[in-house]
Amino acid sequence: MLSTLLIPVAAFIVCAAIGPILIPYLHKLKFGQMIREVGPKSHAKKSGTPTMGGIMILAGIVLSLLAFGKLTPSVMIALILTWGHAVIGFVDDYIKVVMKRNLGLTERQKFFMQFVMAGAYIWYAEHYIQDTNLWIPGFNATIDFGMAYYVIVFLLLVGTTNAVNLTDGLDGLVSFVTLPVALVYAAICYSLNMPDMAGFALAVFGGCCGFLLFNHHPAKVFMGDTGSLALGGAVAALALLTKTELLLILIGGVYVAEAASVIMQVAYFKYTHGQRIFRMSPLHHHFELGGWNDVKWKETKVVKVFTLVSCLLCAAAYGLWMIR
């Protein structure tokens, strides 16, 4: 128990120690974020802020688990999903900051790499986990979906990683939103007698806390796709390995809203030939630019409100879990 509680502390310390070394090095390499012209004008001043800072979170997770955790098969699968998506994000970031192509990987290229990661996990699940049941929150029931379950797994992996990636648009936003997500999954893992996975969840929590030392407003570094896709992979792994796939919709409700806002915006824009539902998507930009009542929120207010919503959703999800 004590060693598990030391995991988030160690992850935090690793991030805190690496930051002062990594950030100047990223500056030296000129790995600065290029701000898209179509984004909020207030973000123009962020141009040049170093990116790929997600490396700190990844180092914190791995080193803390090596020091105080247990590298069980479940934890190894979670790390593979986390680091696998981190590699996809790193390639995307590298294209943006080194090759100066602001959009990074094309949608097809990124989807193909995510498809490979999802396919690898599905192969593992089909051969070694062999559990196609899906727990229905609130009904205390499970349904065997058979082979259709793996379609759900694919959608969850690809959807979660992209949704977390879309949430990463303001200083500290995705890290703050992920803190209660990681904590509630640590609690769920303990209740399932999975202390190894609880340690993994706490490592994610500690890594995000350490990264926020440098990423809170005004951010000194961005995590980039290296970090956001990795966090998406970590959250998806926690949902899959605890068999709480549907509960993730509530736990990660902020991620879902961010992704849904983009899907709705694109679909409505095409259907109406140019009209929009939101001032800008993802959703956090909508509130920055005036929401539905022409009242602009400061970036820090958006982060605070979204974090509070994430805390409330995670509390509600844990309540559903406890009455199962």
Side-chain angles (χ1 to χ4, degrees):
M1 180 65 176
L2 178 59
S3 61
T4 302
L5 293 176
L6 288 174
I7 290 174
V9 177
F12 176 86
I13 292 173
V14 168
C15 287
I18 292 177
I21 301 171
L22 179 64
I23 294 173
Y25 185 66
L26 292 174
H27 269 296
K28 184 178 180 180
L29 294 177
K30 296 182 179 180
F31 280 10
Q33 178 71 47
M34 296 174 63
I35 303 300
R36 297 176 62 188
E37 293 181 3
V38 296
K41 293 182 180 179
S42 61
H43 287 209
K45 59 186 177 183
K46 298 174 184 280
S47 184
T49 302
T51 188
M52 296 191 189
I55 294 170
M56 284 186 269
I57 300 175
L58 291 162
I61 291 173
V62 171
L63 293 178
S64 63
L65 288 173
L66 286 174
F68 301 107
K70 293 182 179 180
L71 298 182
T72 62
S74 293
V75 171
M76 291 302 298
I77 291 299
L79 286 173
I80 289 170
L81 286 175
T82 302
W83 275 84
H85 286 95
V87 170
I88 298 173
F90 181 85
V91 173
D92 195 36
D93 286 335
Y94 186 86
I95 292 172
K96 290 176 185 176
V97 301
V98 177
M99 300 178 67
K100 306 301 181 184
R101 204 173 81 194
N102 192 38
L103 295 179
L105 290 167
T106 66
E107 290 184 4
R108 288 186 178 182
Q109 290 170 334
K110 188 179 290 187
F111 179 79
F112 174 75
M113 296 172 79
Q114 291 174 319
F115 179 88
V116 171
M117 284 300 305
Y121 177 79
I122 289 171
W123 180 88
Y124 171 82
E126 185 179 4
H127 286 80
Y128 294 99
I129 299 179
Q130 298 178 341
D131 183 355
T132 55
N133 289 309
L134 202 64
W135 174 62
I136 312 300
F139 293 92
N140 196 28
T142 57
I143 299 175
D144 189 346
F145 276 74
M147 293 304 293
Y149 170 77
Y150 298 113
V151 176
I152 296 172
V153 169
F154 174 81
L155 293 174
L156 184 146
L157 271 168
V158 175
T160 302
T161 51
N162 283 313
V164 175
N165 180 239
L166 289 170
T167 306
D168 182 30
L170 303 178
D171 295 355
L173 178 59
V174 75
S175 295
F176 274 120
V177 166
T178 302
L179 293 181
V181 173
L183 281 181
V184 78
Y185 266 120
I188 288 173
C189 289
Y190 267 117
S191 69
L192 289 172
N193 195 27
M194 298 173 67
D196 54 338
M197 287 303 297
F200 176 80
L202 290 173
V204 173
F205 176 84
C208 286
C209 285
F211 184 69
L212 281 168
L213 290 175
F214 313 99
N215 185 239
H216 69 83
H217 184 76
K220 297 179 180 66
V221 66
F222 299 138
M223 69 171 62
D225 286 2
T226 304
S228 59
L229 288 178
L231 285 180
V235 171
L238 286 164
L240 290 169
L241 294 170
T242 57
K243 299 296 292 177
T244 55
E245 298 90 347
L246 293 183
L247 193 63
L248 178 60
I249 298 172
L250 185 57
I251 293 175
V254 173
Y255 309 141
V256 174
E258 294 274 33
S261 69
V262 174
I263 295 170
M264 291 168 63
Q265 184 87 320
V266 172
Y268 192 74
F269 185 87
K270 291 181 178 180
Y271 179 75
T272 60
H273 303 288
Q275 296 184 44
R276 292 174 170 83
I277 300 174
F278 307 99
R279 293 177 184 270
M280 183 179 291
S281 63
L283 190 60
H284 53 260
H285 289 324
H286 173 70
F287 289 103
E288 270 193 294
L289 297 177
W292 287 285
N293 56 2
D294 293 325
V295 177
K296 294 183 179 180
W297 288 7
K298 291 182 178 180
E299 182 174 349
T300 51
K301 180 176 179 179
V302 177
V303 173
K304 289 176 182 177
V305 172
F306 277 43
T307 302
L308 176 60
V309 171
S310 182
C311 290
L312 293 174
L313 290 173
C314 286
Y318 190 65
L320 279 176
W321 173 256
M322 292 302 292
I323 63 173
R324 71 193 189 283

